[in-house]
Amino acid sequence: MWLIENVPAIKQALEANTAIIGTIDTYLLWKLTKRHCISVCNASRTFLMDINTRQWDDELLDIFGVPKSALPTIVTNTDNLGVATCTALEGTPVTSMIGDQHAATVGQLCYNIGETKNTYGTGCFLLMNIGKEPKPSTHGLLTTICYQIKGEEPYYAFEGSVVQAGMLITWLKENMEILSNVAEVETLAAQVEDTGGVVIVPAFSGLFAPHWKEEARGVICGLTMYTRKPHICRAALTSIAMQTVDVIKAMELDSGIKTTTLKVDGGMTVNKVLMQLQADLASLTVSVPADKETTARGAAICAAIGAGCYGSLQEVKDIITANDPPPTTFSPSMPEKVIKDNRIKWDKAIERSCNWVELDEQEQ
C-alpha cells in the first residue's frame, strides 16, 4: 500500500497491468518456476484474504486499493508449483510453500486440536492447533491458518507473538554489557535460586500478545542493594517464560483446552534453566525434540507429501515417532506458593510498564 501511494512507477504499472504483487515466498517461487503463487498461510497474514473462504476479499482489496489482478494465486502447503528452471536446481519440482511458524508447527507434529508449540528465537511464537473451524479470539490472540494439505480442509490456529526473547539476552550483552556472550546468561542465572525479587518487563517497543499496549516501555522492578548480575540474568529468563505463560493462558481461555505439554524449538531451547523455568511457571511439561530444526523439517514434510512420497501427515508422524530419539522433557517442580508470588510480581510489573509514553509522542 505504501508503495502504491508513494512510488508513482508502481501505481502506474499496476494500472497498466504490468506489475505483480507478492510476499517473499511469492518472489522466490517466481524466480524458481515463474509461477505467481502464495501459500495460504502467508496469504492469511496480508490483511487481504478472508480466512474462511481462503480467497482474496474484494472489500479489503477496495479498502487498501490493491488490484486483484496483480495478486498471486493462493495455494495449499502441498501443491505442485512447477519445476525449477534456474541452473543449480534446474529440473527440481517445487511441491510446497509454507510460512516459518506454520512449518515449525507441522515439524513439531501438532496435528491434533489443542497441541501447542513455541519457537524461542529473537522473539517467541506460539501456535495452538484449534481444528478446522476458525474461531475469533477474545483474549488478544490472532486467528490464522495453521496449515492445509491439498484436497483437505485447512487447520486453523491461535497465535501469540512475544517480541523480546533472545533479543532481551542480546540487549543484556550488547547494550548493558552484563554478558561476555549470550550463552553466559544460563551460567549466571544458575548461580542463584531466584531473582531476588527482580522483575524485568522487556517492553522495548510496547507489549504484544496478549496485552497489546503500544504505549508500554521496558521496566526493571524490585532492585535492591542485594541485587547482583546473576539475579538480573535469572530475571531476564523468567520474563521470557512469563511472557509465554501469558500467551498460553490466553489460548486456554479462548479454546477451553488446558495445555499440558508445550512442544518447543529454536535456539534458546538449549538453555536448560529457561526450559525448567518455563515448565515451572506454566505448570506443564516442556518437550524439546532431538531435532530442533523443526521449521526445516515441517517444510520438508509438506514437500514430501506434495511430491507423493507420503500419503498423509499421520503417516509421517508415525514414521518420525517410531524412529526419532525421545524428546528431552522438563516437568514442573516449583512450589505453588512460589508460582503465585512470581505471578503477582509479574502482573505488578506489567502494570507499571503501561502508559509510559503518549501515542502522539511516539509519532513525533
Side-chain angles (χ1 to χ4, degrees), residues 336-353:
E336 187 65 29
K337 182 179 182 301
V338 179
I339 296 173
K340 288 182 177 179
D341 183 61
N342 274 278
R343 179 81 255 175
I344 291 169
K345 286 185 170 64
W346 175 253
D347 288 342
K348 285 182 179 179
I350 288 286
E351 183 179 353
R352 283 159 173 75
S353 76

Side-chain angles (χ1 to χ4, degrees), residues 151-335:
E152 300 180 10
E153 290 298 306
Y155 277 77
Y156 293 86
F158 286 138
E159 180 175 22
S161 298
V162 172
V163 176
Q164 301 294 339
M167 280 300 296
L168 172 58
I169 310 307
T170 301
W171 179 79
L172 290 180
K173 174 181 177 289
E174 301 292 341
N175 295 51
M176 304 306 291
E177 300 182 353
I178 288 176
L179 306 171
S180 57
N181 58 75
V182 293
E184 190 183 7
V185 72
E186 180 178 13
T187 303
L188 288 168
Q191 293 176 8
V192 290
E193 293 184 356
D194 54 45
T195 68
V198 176
V199 180
I200 299 176
V201 178
F204 299 134
S205 54
L207 289 168
F208 283 59
H211 305 285
W212 298 112
K213 299 291 185 180
E214 186 181 354
E215 75 285 357
R217 286 297 178 268
V219 297
I220 302 178
C221 301
L223 294 172
T224 68
M225 290 295 291
Y226 167 75
T227 303
R228 297 184 294 114
K229 191 158 56 172
H231 295 110
I232 298 295
C233 290
R234 195 171 187 92
L237 296 181
T238 299
S239 78
I240 296 168
M242 287 304 298
Q243 289 177 95
T244 298
V245 170
D246 285 349
V247 176
I248 291 171
K249 296 306 179 187
M251 287 179 168
E252 291 178 342
L253 289 170
D254 273 333
S255 67
I257 300 170
K258 174 68 177 175
T259 304
T260 57
T261 299
L262 181 65
K263 299 182 178 183
V264 301
D265 54 78
M268 294 197 74
T269 58
V270 300
N271 190 316
K272 293 181 174 59
V273 173
L274 173 60
M275 294 297 96
Q276 186 59 54
L277 282 168
Q278 191 66 83
D280 287 337
L281 294 169
S283 299
L284 46 67
T285 299
V286 169
S287 177
V288 185
D291 181 3
K292 297 178 179 62
E293 297 299 329
T294 54
T295 298
R297 170 174 278 193
I301 288 171
C302 288
I305 292 175
C309 300
Y310 303 104
S312 67
L313 288 174
Q314 187 59 51
E315 180 185 354
V316 175
K317 184 174 184 176
D318 291 343
I319 293 171
I320 291 175
T321 302
N323 291 278
D324 263 16
T328 301
T329 58
F330 296 82
S331 300
S333 59
M334 186 178 285

Side-chain angles (χ1 to χ4, degrees), residues 68-95:
K68 184 185 285 188
S69 60
L71 290 171
T73 301
I74 299 171
V75 297
T76 73
N77 299 127
T78 59
D79 264 283
N80 187 325
L81 302 170
V83 176
T85 58
C86 58
T87 53
L89 297 173
E90 187 173 0
T92 304
V94 180
T95 56

